[in-house]
C-alpha cells in the first residue's frame, strides 16, 4: 500500500492491487501530507478498475493538555515559570485538578504552543481560563485596567510576527457558562476596571474559537500573551484543559465526470484525476490527486494442433495446458502428449502475468487401453489393486508408467 500526496492541502492514500482477468480496485481516502506525488495501478488489457474518491469526516487533536502533571507538556513553552498549586482558589468546573497559573513573575507573560499543521481546515482551540480574583496580592491579584488582559494570537512564521484573533470581549461558550454566553471568536478579554474582579472573566469558564483562514499554514503556532501589568506581583491569570484540533467535512474529490465513483476499462495507459476546490484558501485553490493506470497488453490467442496423441501450441513460451477446463499440473511446454480423452486447450501468460484468450479446443476421444494378446505374457496381481501390486512378465520390463483414470 503506497501513499499518494496531493497538491497543497490534502493528499490521498491509494490502495492498489493487480489482478489478471478480474476487476482491479483502487480506493482513495484522505491522509495528511503535503507533497505532490502520484501512483500507478497495473492491469491487463480488458480489466476494469473501480475508482472511489471519498473525503471522510476527519478529526485530529494536536494538543490535549490538562497540566495535571505539574509541568508544561512537551507541546508548550513559556518565558516565565508557571505556578502549579493554584494560589487563586477555588478550582471550579470546568477547570479541574492542577491548573497552569501565571502569578508573581516577570512580564510580559506568554504561553506558546509548538507548530502544527492547519492546512486541513476546520481547526479550533478550546480551553478554560480565569483572571485573578483579587484574593491576595501575591499570586491572585486581579487584572483591573483595560490594558492588563490576555491576548489570543497566532503566528505562521515561527513567532517572528503575531496576529491577534478577531473579536474583543467575547464571553465564554454556553457549554459551561450561562445560556447567554456567546460562542464567539474572541482575541482579547478586557479586564473590569476599578479592581472589582467580577464577571465571567474572573471565574473558570470554557472558551472555544475557530482559527481564522489567514492562520492556515503548515507551521502555525498560537500563544496567550499578557504584555502589560502593573508589576511582577499583579494581574495574574490561569489556563487549563487546552485542546487544539481540526475537523474537516469538505466535499469529496470528484473525478472528471463529476462523480466521486467511476469504473473504467482503459485500452491504453492513461491518467485519471480527482479534484476539488479548496475554499479555505484565499484565493480559492484547486487541489487534486491522480492515479496512472498502466494497461499491459495480453498475449495473442494461441492455436493448437494435433499429431497422433501429441498436441502442439503455436507459441514457444508461456503455455499452460488445460483438460476439460482445468489446468494440467506442470504442463507448460509448447507440446503435450495426451493420455486421457477430453477437451484440450492452452492459455498463454506473459511477463506481466496477463493471460491470453483461450485457444481453440481439440477433442480427443480415441484413447483406450490395448488388450494384451496373450495373458501369459503379462500378469498383474491383485487386480484391482489399492496400495500394492506385483507384475510378472516373460519379457524384460524396461519402462513402466502408471496413470489414474483422469490422466
Amino acid at each position: 500500500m503506497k501513499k499518494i500526496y496531493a497538491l497543497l492541502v490534502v493528499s490521498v492514500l491509494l490502495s492498489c492491487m493487480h489482478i489478471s482477468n478480474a476487476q482491479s480496485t483502487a480506493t482513495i481516502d484522505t491522509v495528511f501530507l503535503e507533497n505532490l506525488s502520484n501512483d500507478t495501478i497495473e492491469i491487463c488489457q480488458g480489466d476494469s478498475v473501480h475508482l472511489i474518491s471519498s473525503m471522510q469526516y476527519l478529526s485530529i487533536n494536536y494538543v490535549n493538555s490538562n497540566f495535571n502533571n505539574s509541568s508544561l507538556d512537551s507541546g508548550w513553552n513559556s518565558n516565565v515559570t508557571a505556578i502549579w498549586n493554584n494560589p487563586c482558589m477555588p478550582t471550579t468546573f470546568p477547570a479541574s485538578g492542577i491548573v497552569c497559573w501565571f502569578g508573581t513573575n516577570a512580564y510580559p507573560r506568554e504561553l506558546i504552543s509548538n507548530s502544527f499543521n492547519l492546512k486541513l481546515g476546520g481547526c479550533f482551540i478550546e480551553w478554560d481560563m480565569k483572571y485573578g480574583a483579587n484574593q491576595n496580592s501575591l499570586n491572585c491579584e486581579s487584572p483591573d485596567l483595560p490594558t492588563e488582559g490576555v491576548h489570543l494570537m497566532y503566528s505562521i512564521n515561527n513567532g517572528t510576527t503575531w496576529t491577534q484573533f478577531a473579536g474583543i470581549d467575547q464571553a465564554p461558550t454556553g457549554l459551561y457558562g450561562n445560556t447567554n454566553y456567546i460562542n464567539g471568536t474572541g482575541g482579547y478579554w478586557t479586564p473590569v476596571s476599578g479592581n472589582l474582579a467580577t464577571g465571567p472573566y474572573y471565574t473558570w469558564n470554557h472558551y472555544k474559537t475557530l482559527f481564522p483562514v489567514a492562520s492556515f499554514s503548515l507551521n502555525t503556532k498560537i500563544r496567550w500573551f499578557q504584555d502589560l501589568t502593573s508589576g511582577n506581583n499583579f494581574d495574574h491569570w490561569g489556563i487549563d484543559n487546552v485542546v487544539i484540533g481540526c475537523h474537516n467535512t469538505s466535499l469529496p474529490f470528484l473525478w472528471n465526470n463529476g462523480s466521486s465513483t467511476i469504473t473504467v476499462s482503459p485500452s491504453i495507459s492513461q491518467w485519471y484525476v480527482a479534484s476539488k476546490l479548496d475554499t479555505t484558501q484565499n484565493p480559492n485553490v484547486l487541489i487534486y490527486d491522480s492515479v496512472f493506470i498502466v494497461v499491459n497488453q495480453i498475449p495473442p490467442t494461441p492455436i493448437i494442433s494435433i499429431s497422433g496423441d501429441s498436441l502442439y501450441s503455436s507459441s514457444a513460451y508461456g503455455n499452460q495446458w488445460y483438460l476439460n477446463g482445468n489446468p494440467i499440473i506442470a504442463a507448460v511446454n509448447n507440446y503435450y502428449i495426451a493420455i486421457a480423452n477430453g477437451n484440450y486447450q492452452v492459455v498463454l501468460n506473459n511477463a506481466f502475468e496477463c493471460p491470453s484468450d483461450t485457444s481453440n479446443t481439440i477433442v480427443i476421444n480415441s484413447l483406450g487401453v490395448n488388450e494384451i494378446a496373450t495373458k501369459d505374457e503379462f500378469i498383474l496381481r491383485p487386480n484391482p489393486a489399492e496400495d500394492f501390486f506385483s507384475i510378472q512378465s516373460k519379457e524384460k520390463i524396461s519402462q513402466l508408467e502408471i496413470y489414474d483414470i483422469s490422466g
Side-chain angles (χ1 to χ4, degrees):
M1 187 173 288
K2 299 176 65 180
K3 291 178 181 175
I4 310 178
Y5 305 84
L7 181 64
L8 294 179
V9 180
V10 182
S11 65
V12 299
L13 184 67
L14 178 65
S15 172
C16 60
M17 63 186 73
H18 171 77
I19 305 175
S20 297
N21 270 5
Q23 180 169 295
S24 302
T25 300
T27 302
I28 294 180
D29 296 312
T30 52
V31 292
F32 306 102
L33 299 167
E34 294 79 38
N35 298 319
L36 177 63
S37 181
N38 296 289
D39 211 341
T40 60
I41 299 175
E42 292 202 21
I43 66 172
C44 297
Q45 185 180 21
D47 287 353
S48 295
V49 181
H50 189 56
L51 298 172
I52 303 172
S53 171
S54 60
M55 281 287 290
Q56 298 176 342
Y57 181 88
L58 303 172
S59 177
I60 183 170
N61 279 355
Y62 291 110
V63 174
N64 194 340
S65 302
N66 59 23
F67 307 111
N68 286 340
N69 58 357
S70 299
S71 65
L72 293 179
D73 298 342
S74 59
W76 299 100
N77 62 82
S78 177
N79 68 322
V80 297
T81 302
I83 297 173
W84 304 107
N85 60 358
N86 193 7
C88 206
M89 299 296 288
T91 301
T92 57
F93 186 80
S96 61
I98 298 170
V99 301
C100 180
W101 190 262
F102 294 93
T104 299
N105 217 313
Y107 73 92
R109 304 167 181 141
E110 62 183 358
L111 178 63
I112 303 177
S113 74
N114 290 344
S115 298
F116 36 81
N117 179 5
L118 296 189
K119 279 291 189 176
L120 173 64
C123 301
F124 64 92
I125 313 172
E126 53 183 296
W127 73 102
D128 303 330
M129 185 172 69
K130 174 186 176 180
Y131 284 173
N134 204 31
Q135 294 177 6
N136 61 72
S137 61
L138 182 61
N139 289 309
C140 190
E141 199 274 334
S142 60
D144 54 9
L145 294 176
T147 58
E148 294 175 345
V150 176
H151 304 260
L152 176 61
M153 314 180 83
Y154 68 85
S155 174
I156 60 175
N157 56 14
N158 201 33
T160 300
T161 58
W162 291 91
T163 303
Q164 181 173 294
F165 278 64
I168 295 177
D169 296 338
Q170 296 293 323
T173 61
L175 180 62
Y176 299 112
N178 66 52
T179 56
N180 295 321
Y181 286 170
I182 303 170
N183 189 2
T185 53
Y188 182 75
W189 293 265
T190 306
V192 176
S193 299
N195 209 24
L196 296 177
T198 59
Y201 308 149
Y202 296 88
T203 59
W204 285 106
N205 273 293
H206 191 74
Y207 295 79
K208 184 173 183 178
T209 182
L210 295 175
F211 280 89
V213 172
S215 69
F216 293 0
S217 79
L218 302 179
N219 297 286
T220 302
K221 290 185 174 183
I222 65 106
R223 72 171 178 176
W224 285 277
F225 180 58
Q226 184 186 36
D227 55 340
L228 294 173
T229 71
S230 299
N232 288 355
N233 296 331
F234 301 96
D235 310 312
H236 308 132
W237 53 282
I239 294 285
D240 197 22
N241 297 325
V242 181
V243 177
I244 300 175
C246 299
H247 298 309
N248 187 305
T249 56
S250 300
L251 294 173
F253 279 72
L254 298 179
W255 300 97
N256 52 12
N257 67 346
S259 171
S260 62
T261 302
I262 59 174
T263 300
V264 296
S265 299
S267 58
I268 60 173
S269 301
Q270 58 185 287
W271 289 102
Y272 290 86
V273 178
S275 61
K276 70 182 287 286
L277 190 66
D278 180 17
T279 57
T280 66
Q281 301 295 305
N282 187 16
N284 296 338
V285 175
L286 185 69
I287 59 176
Y288 66 90
D289 214 314
S290 55
V291 58
F292 188 66
I293 299 180
V294 177
V295 179
N296 294 309
Q297 300 302 306
I298 64 174
T301 304
I303 299 174
I304 57 175
S305 57
I306 185 170
S307 177
D309 60 356
S310 297
L311 301 167
Y312 296 91
S313 168
S314 59
S315 175
Y317 304 101
N319 294 280
Q320 173 60 62
W321 290 91
Y322 286 77
L323 174 59
N324 297 328
N326 299 310
I328 303 172
I329 297 175
V332 294
N333 297 320
N334 68 326
Y335 67 92
Y336 181 72
I337 300 175
I339 58 174
N341 294 325
N343 299 327
Y344 286 87
Q345 297 168 312
V346 73
V347 171
L348 303 184
N349 290 279
N350 61 18
F352 303 106
E353 299 183 3
C354 293
S356 71
D357 291 332
T358 305
S359 72
N360 57 307
T361 302
I362 289 184
V363 180
I364 295 180
N365 54 22
S366 59
L367 295 180
V369 178
N370 295 326
E371 294 290 338
I372 298 175
T374 304
K375 291 184 178 180
D376 293 340
E377 294 178 358
F378 188 92
I379 300 174
L380 184 148
R381 295 191 181 94
N383 187 10
E386 184 174 355
D387 295 321
F388 303 98
F389 61 88
S390 63
I391 297 175
Q392 180 180 343
S393 174
K394 293 181 178 180
E395 301 294 333
K396 181 180 179 181
I397 299 175
S398 60
Q399 182 177 349
L400 176 67
E401 292 185 6
I402 301 173
Y403 299 94
D404 65 18
I405 193 170
S406 64

